[in-house]
Amino acid sequence: MQSIARNIRHFSVAHGRHFATTRALPRDTIKTGLVVGMFASHKLFSSEQMPQALQDKIVQEVQALDNKADAGSVQLVLSPDLTQHIAVVGLGSSESTANTTEIVRTAVANGIKQLKAKKVSDISIAPMPSAHAAGEAAALASFTFTAFKTQKKAEESPLTIASADVTAEWSAGRVYAEAQNYARELMATPANYMTPTIFAQRVRDEMASLANVTVNVHDEQWARRQRMGGLIAVAQGSDEPLRFVEIIYRGRPGDPVALALVGKGITFDTGGYSLKLGKNMDLMKGDMGGGATVVAAMRAIAQLQLPINVVATVPLCENMVSGRATKVSDVYTSRAGLTVEVMNTDAEGRIVLADALHYTVEAHQPRSIVDVATLTGAMVVALGELYTGVFTPSPTLWQHIDRAGATTDEPVWRMPLHDRWDAMLKSPIADLSNIGCKGEAGACTAAAFLRQFVDGPRLTPPAVMREQNNDESVPRWAHLDIAGPMEASTSEGYHHQGMSGRPTRLLIELAKQLSAE
């Protein structure tokens, strides 16, 4: 080994990134690392950019340990001169399967995590079958949230991850993933450090330097002028003042708004008088996950300067218990003029979203509008943390969302809308109840409630009730219930245990696809 090291020259690739150097170092002081991809045939991807001596060394060690290079697997080896840790990541059984983005994303992330465990601080990513997925993995796998860990924060050393071959796709992948990390950070921040006021200011600061972006932050007086009775009804139980954030991105000036995103922004949810159980209430700091992902997606859309006009709105408040809080059976008047009987104060997300949806449709007249919310426990029961439930009457919009989910490996599942759900929202004293009257189909009746505020009320069900699955009227509307995906229970691959920041990348991809139309 030492004789080989003495004879090897200085190895480098494009942009000055080094595969190896010429001076051997003790293993515990090696701070540089490299991630390379290998197929099950033991062929290295993009091996033409790598010195033959290094290729031989990697293949010999992998074969000696009978490593099959299964998709996502990692084997660590040392460079021939003992100066660099090399993470050999498996790309699967054939070169064709390695073209799938999820394999690359997972494999690169696993390689980075192994190198981080070795205290490596400078990592280079060799070319991969998908530069976009590799760029995503580089950012997602390096995410940590240690803002409130004083000792650990002081001991941390900065981690640098770069591509050995920087391309536009790699850079775009980084933008997608860094947006998701931004959403993760917003969702993970304790509620006393992420009040509606602080959230709104964070948005202002984050968007200030981006071209073609306007940010409006509205207060309670504005909400009253806008007749947002639902937002005010939820917010009045808290000492923290409400905010309404409006982000306008003009990537195609003069054209109509192609897409509007509306995110639920409950910065802490106690359930109000329909009080939640103490177990897992800490997760309710992330009940603004819809707002966080929408804001993060808008940041990326502006950074990429996509040729599309997009608007985002986020109604922000806390749902608390106090002498001023809305009580069960209270009635309020929504911005749409519909009266709503509050039969469950823990079904507050749909109440604030309803006003935001109605305002966004009226003020901006988008062709498509998508709301994103950690809305119902029923969705967690139905789909768990893997899938986002999607409700939409539009086959066209569903196809766009489904394709965006497949491209970003953010799984989605279409859920039913039906006239029957509308009938279950009847109230004996008001136009609507904020929950279904039968205690079933909770996620479905929540979606049905929201639709009342997009394209008009459905207070009188038809004589023959049907599924609502083929309506292309504008604005096309979709509701994404992310109550399950809001949290990752493990840190597998590029996922990070805790607040997930999903489905930020899906929303960016959706805007990208619509911009091409």
Side-chain angles (χ1 to χ4, degrees):
M1 181 75 71
Q2 291 177 348
S3 62
I4 295 174
R6 282 195 298 268
N7 291 326
I8 290 178
R9 295 184 178 180
H10 187 79
F11 296 150
S12 65
V13 292
H15 302 283
R17 302 297 298 172
H18 296 163
F19 280 120
T21 61
T22 56
R23 183 180 178 185
L25 298 170
R27 294 193 182 197
D28 59 353
T29 63
I30 297 174
K31 297 300 182 183
T32 62
L34 171 69
V35 179
V36 298
M38 175 180 279
F39 299 111
S41 62
H42 291 157
K43 178 183 177 182
L44 294 167
F45 182 79
S46 199
S47 58
E48 67 277 1
Q49 298 191 33
M50 192 178 300
Q52 190 62 48
L54 183 57
Q55 294 183 51
D56 294 343
K57 170 72 160 53
I58 292 172
V59 172
Q60 287 168 10
E61 292 216 20
V62 170
Q63 291 177 335
L65 294 173
D66 197 28
N67 188 311
K68 306 299 183 184
D70 294 330
S73 65
V74 183
Q75 180 174 325
L76 291 180
V77 302
L78 283 171
S79 61
D81 60 355
L82 308 180
T83 63
Q84 191 173 45
H85 288 294
I86 302 172
V88 185
V89 299
L91 298 177
S93 59
S94 69
E95 296 184 26
S96 60
T97 62
N99 291 325
T100 60
T101 56
E102 183 69 352
I103 291 176
V104 173
R105 196 181 292 113
T106 301
V108 171
N110 286 341
I112 290 170
K113 287 183 176 181
Q114 291 274 3
L115 292 173
K116 284 175 64 179
K118 290 289 186 181
K119 308 298 183 185
V120 169
S121 59
D122 187 4
I123 299 174
S124 179
I125 311 297
M128 292 286 166
S130 170
H132 189 282
E136 287 181 313
L140 293 173
S142 60
F143 176 78
T144 58
F145 185 72
T146 58
F148 300 94
K149 293 274 193 179
T150 54
Q151 184 176 353
K152 186 174 182 180
K153 187 176 181 180
E155 294 173 351
E156 282 180 349
S157 57
L159 176 66
T160 301
I161 304 176
S163 174
D165 186 20
V166 177
T167 64
E169 283 300 302
W170 162 275
S171 299
R174 290 293 300 246
V175 170
Y176 275 55
E178 286 165 1
Q180 182 174 340
N181 285 347
Y182 177 49
R184 285 169 163 176
E185 178 191 343
L186 292 174
M187 294 172 69
T189 301
N192 60 322
Y193 286 88
M194 193 55 64
T195 65
T197 301
I198 295 173
F199 186 108
Q201 189 59 49
R202 287 286 301 271
V203 175
R204 278 191 188 276
D205 295 344
E206 199 68 32
M207 302 290 181
S209 63
L210 299 177
N212 303 318
V213 175
T214 301
V215 177
N216 299 317
V217 176
H218 304 294
D219 60 11
E220 181 180 339
Q221 287 69 36
W222 177 90
R224 290 190 181 278
R225 291 195 299 272
Q226 289 293 328
R227 313 177 313 282
M228 293 186 173
L231 176 57
I232 293 167
V234 176
Q236 68 191 23
S238 173
D239 289 338
E240 292 290 344
L242 70 83
R243 291 291 182 266
F244 189 97
V245 170
E246 184 177 32
I247 308 170
I248 303 167
Y249 169 71
R250 298 178 179 87
R252 189 171 282 173
D255 282 8
V257 173
L259 175 64
L261 302 173
V262 180
K264 174 184 170 184
I266 303 297
T267 57
F268 195 80
D269 182 17
T270 67
Y273 277 106
S274 302
L275 191 66
K276 293 179 180 292
L277 297 176
K279 183 180 180 181
N280 295 328
M281 194 188 282
D282 61 300
L283 298 179
M284 290 302 97
K285 65 184 178 182
D287 206 28
M288 31 62 79
T293 56
V294 162
V295 166
M298 289 295 288
R299 187 185 81 166
I301 290 166
Q303 287 173 331
L304 295 168
Q305 286 293 290
L306 296 181
I308 183 174
N309 294 335
V310 187
V311 168
T313 56
V314 183
L316 292 157
C317 67
E318 294 180 334
N319 186 25
M320 305 293 282
V321 178
S322 75
R324 300 185 306 276
T326 293
K327 303 172 292 296
V328 175
S329 80
D330 281 0
V331 174
Y332 73 89
T333 302
S334 68
R335 189 180 189 279
L338 296 173
T339 56
V340 179
E341 183 182 18
V342 180
M343 294 304 293
N344 188 324
T345 62
D346 195 24
E348 86 298 333
R350 68 200 70 180
I351 293 175
V352 302
L353 281 173
D355 280 346
L357 283 164
H358 189 265
Y359 167 80
T360 306
V361 169
E362 184 179 88
H364 297 288
Q365 301 181 355
R367 294 191 58 79
S368 295
I369 184 167
V370 177
D371 72 75
V372 188
T374 52
L375 207 64
T376 64
M379 186 56 67
V380 182
V381 173
L383 298 179
E385 70 177 55
L386 181 59
Y387 282 85
T388 291
V390 179
F391 295 84
T392 179
S394 166
T396 299
L397 186 53
W398 160 246
Q399 289 167 8
H400 280 299
I401 293 171
D402 188 35
R403 187 160 66 249
T407 301
T408 57
D409 294 293
E410 294 266 32
V412 293
W413 194 265
R414 192 177 186 185
M415 302 292 289
L417 287 166
H418 201 282
D419 294 332
R420 181 74 64 183
W421 312 148
D422 296 329
M424 290 169 61
L425 293 170
K426 285 185 177 179
S427 162
I429 66 169
D431 296 328
L432 293 168
S433 169
N434 76 322
I435 60 171
C437 62
K438 297 178 66 176
E440 63 185 36
C444 299
T445 54
F449 180 88
L450 292 175
R451 193 182 179 193
Q452 308 275 343
F453 301 89
V454 176
D455 53 6
R458 290 172 167 73
L459 301 180
T460 305
V464 178
M465 298 191 187
R466 295 183 174 86
E467 189 173 0
Q468 302 168 3
N469 61 1
N470 193 27
D471 184 352
E472 297 288 12
S473 59
V474 176
R476 297 186 177 98
W477 164 76
H479 161 57
L480 274 57
D481 192 331
I482 62 168
M486 71 174 281
E487 184 194 20
S489 58
T490 65
S491 291
E492 297 174 352
Y494 55 90
H495 299 289
H496 179 81
Q497 186 175 14
M499 296 299 169
S500 70
R502 294 176 54 198
T504 301
R505 291 182 296 112
L506 181 153
L507 298 176
I508 302 165
E509 183 63 25
L510 175 63
K512 179 183 176 183
Q513 291 181 10
L514 292 176
S515 73
E517 290 190 340

